[in-house]
Amino acid sequence: MKQNLLKCLPAAVAALFMANSVQAQDSLGTSPKLNTWSIGINAGALSPISPLGGKNDFSNWKTNLGYGLYIKKQITPGFSIKLDGVKGKLSGDNLEPYESGYSNTDAVTAYETELSWSAALNAQVNMLNLNMFRKQDNVQLYASAGAGLAGYKTEITTAAGTTEFGDGSATELVIPVGVGAKFRVTDKINFDLGWTVNFVDGDNLDGVYKGSTNDKYNYAYAGLEFSLGSSDKQLAWHNPVALTYDEALAAKATANALKGDLDAQKAENARLRADMDNLLTDTDGDGVADKLDKCPDTPKGVVVDGSGCPLNVPAPKVIITEADRKVVNEAIRNLEFDLGKSTLRTKSYATLNKVAALLVEKNFSLKLAGHTDNTGSMKLNLGLSKDRAESVKAYLVSQGANASRIEATGYGPNQPIASNKTASGRQQNRRVEFTLF
């Protein structure tokens, strides 16, 4: 059995390190960035007994210092593989009787065993926190079991003196079984309290071979465990049940957000559909939407133009009243420009607004004719008269008038209505004429 373990132990150690190539994932399949490797150091009491039963070869056992080192790979939040090493000293004698009163009269009166080394591969199971409202606890219990080898040297004391037992060194199979408690100190440091009973596959650990029961020793220790990795979280403290709850809440929030977006999109589509229906409504069925139809009550079957009015129908007669002419004449009288420019003065706005309202209400057409006196060059005067007529047109259009129904022309000094030889005559010649039709 010991030879088979010697062959299997190197392969098990290699498997432990190869596990680093696998990304740590919890049982739910999520893959948060969690540290899975750790190392630990400890020290404590080594004693050659076991409270789990069996008879000791010596009546008086002693406690000695032991110390250990381990490296651990966390596979899941509840399971890890750990490679443990322990060194120390075991000793006992027969100076006192057993608790039953029996005195040991063996020839060997005392022994001291140096535990030169021990290496065991252990499986450790964590007692997980399964409270879904707590992502991690600060205290965790665990249990472990495994198998390994121990190398030791034993010195025995007899009436003849002290001597080495056997050939001075031995290697035996050991089966460690332990329990412990871990306390999270910081994100990367844990305080570890543990107790391990090691069952030896032999009866010569204490230099006395009786063959009735195998030897055993226990190690009670305290130490620190250091998490390795860039994350500030350890897989060993990770609670998959709490993660399930958090993921369910996150999924619900995402679903609610998507539903809200979907409802908003449906509302927007309904609004656009209503706008489109309103835009395409054609009450009289002439092929021109109501919003663009200037003759909304065209009889069925009548051919219409682009504005929805019947073709070949004489346009309604335009009737210009005295009140209309009065509005236009008042605008002409109040029309003023900056000196030598086409910029309208604000004094002109009020009466021009009335002209614009008239054009919109009665759908009149308007001709604007700009004139100047003969001061300056012909080219300059033609441009200025045209610009002033265009300036008036632009203002009327800004107030809602139809640009296609307004014509702006500049005549310069070519159509005077008074003599340019006098100042008053030149003043009369500088004008913009409004003609309704």
Side-chain angles (χ1 to χ4, degrees):
M1 180 177 180
K2 182 167 66 178
Q3 292 179 346
N4 291 336
L5 182 63
L6 286 170
K7 295 179 181 179
C8 296
L9 187 58
V13 174
L16 175 63
F17 284 94
M18 289 174 63
N20 191 40
S21 63
V22 180
Q23 180 67 29
Q25 293 191 351
D26 60 29
S27 59
L28 299 171
T30 58
S31 55
K33 184 67 175 178
L34 301 171
N35 293 340
T36 60
W37 284 95
S38 60
I39 59 172
I41 55 174
N42 51 63
L46 274 171
S47 53
I49 62 167
S50 169
L52 301 182
K55 185 177 180 181
N56 298 318
D57 293 336
F58 288 82
S59 60
N60 184 34
W61 53 269
K62 297 182 179 181
T63 300
N64 295 281
L65 175 66
Y67 50 93
L69 174 71
Y70 66 82
I71 182 170
K72 186 178 74 172
K73 170 66 176 178
Q74 197 74 34
I75 308 300
T76 71
F79 179 77
S80 61
I81 296 176
K82 184 168 70 169
L83 182 62
D84 278 291
V86 177
K87 291 186 67 175
K89 184 183 294 185
L90 301 167
S91 61
D93 57 39
N94 292 321
L95 297 179
E96 298 177 3
Y98 288 104
E99 291 182 358
S100 62
Y102 171 75
S103 296
N104 193 334
T105 58
D106 290 343
V108 179
T109 59
Y111 80 96
E112 183 176 283
T113 296
E114 179 184 352
L115 188 62
S116 304
W117 60 271
S118 69
L121 193 65
N122 292 307
Q124 180 173 300
V125 178
N126 295 342
M127 314 305 183
L128 289 176
N129 163 34
L130 298 180
N131 185 339
M132 69 171 56
F133 300 106
R134 299 179 64 180
K135 297 180 179 64
Q136 61 181 6
D137 272 337
N138 292 323
V139 180
Q140 192 172 69
L141 303 179
Y142 64 85
S144 64
L149 296 173
Y152 56 91
K153 295 179 181 180
T154 303
E155 288 185 351
I156 58 175
T157 301
T158 63
T162 300
T163 184
E164 287 187 352
F165 173 75
D167 59 1
S169 65
T171 301
E172 291 291 350
L173 167 68
V174 292
I175 305 296
V177 177
V179 293
K182 197 162 293 183
F183 304 85
R184 193 167 63 90
V185 180
T186 70
D187 290 333
K188 290 200 170 187
I189 300 177
N190 306 319
F191 180 65
D192 193 11
L193 289 177
W195 176 57
T196 303
V197 178
N198 297 270
F199 297 90
V200 182
D201 186 26
D203 189 28
N204 55 2
L205 182 68
D206 55 11
V208 176
Y209 182 78
K210 294 185 176 181
S212 57
T213 58
N214 290 345
D215 290 329
K216 47 201 158 299
Y217 63 94
N218 71 65
Y219 178 44
Y221 58 86
L224 294 176
E225 181 180 80
F226 301 92
S227 174
L228 304 178
S230 59
S231 175
D232 60 356
K233 296 182 183 299
Q234 304 176 47
L235 181 60
W237 295 101
H238 192 54
N239 182 359
V241 177
L243 181 64
T244 304
Y245 180 72
D246 287 349
E247 287 185 341
L249 291 180
K252 182 179 179 181
T254 301
N256 290 338
L258 292 175
K259 184 178 183 300
D261 291 344
L262 181 60
D263 291 342
Q265 189 60 52
K266 286 181 178 179
E268 179 65 14
N269 291 342
R271 186 189 66 79
L272 292 175
R273 189 178 299 109
D275 290 346
M276 183 63 69
D277 292 342
N278 187 36
L279 181 64
L280 299 179
T281 299
D282 180 14
T283 304
D284 58 7
D286 60 0
V288 179
D290 289 352
K291 282 186 172 293
L292 304 175
D293 198 341
K294 295 183 178 180
C295 301
D297 298 322
T298 305
K300 187 175 181 180
V302 175
V303 179
V304 299
D305 59 17
S307 63
C309 294
L311 291 173
N312 302 321
V313 175
K317 185 178 180 179
V318 176
I319 301 176
I320 302 173
T321 66
E322 287 301 321
D324 298 336
R325 290 189 178 91
K326 183 178 179 180
V327 171
V328 172
N329 291 334
E330 185 180 2
I332 294 173
R333 285 195 302 272
N334 291 314
L335 192 62
E336 289 187 7
F337 297 93
D338 288 344
L339 184 63
K341 299 181 180 179
S342 61
T343 306
L344 281 168
R345 291 182 176 176
T346 56
K347 178 183 177 182
S348 310
Y349 293 167
T351 51
L352 285 177
N353 290 344
K354 295 179 181 180
V355 174
L358 183 65
L359 295 178
V360 173
E361 178 185 358
K362 296 191 174 183
N363 205 24
F364 286 155
S365 294
L366 177 67
K367 179 177 180 180
L368 299 170
H371 301 275
T372 65
D373 59 24
N374 64 352
T375 303
S377 67
M378 175 64 72
K379 180 179 180 181
L380 179 63
N381 285 326
L382 284 173
L384 180 59
S385 62
K386 172 69 172 175
D387 289 345
R388 286 181 169 177
E390 289 289 352
S391 181
V392 175
K393 176 180 178 180
Y395 183 81
L396 294 173
V397 171
S398 73
Q399 300 302 308
N402 188 343
S404 65
R405 288 186 171 274
I406 302 175
E407 177 186 350
T409 307
Y411 293 99
N414 294 328
Q415 297 181 6
I417 58 173
S419 174
N420 283 313
K421 294 180 179 181
T422 64
S424 61
R426 289 192 295 274
Q427 176 64 34
Q428 295 180 56
N429 289 334
R430 295 192 294 272
R431 69 197 188 278
V432 176
E433 296 177 346
F434 291 51
T435 304
L436 286 175
F437 61 94

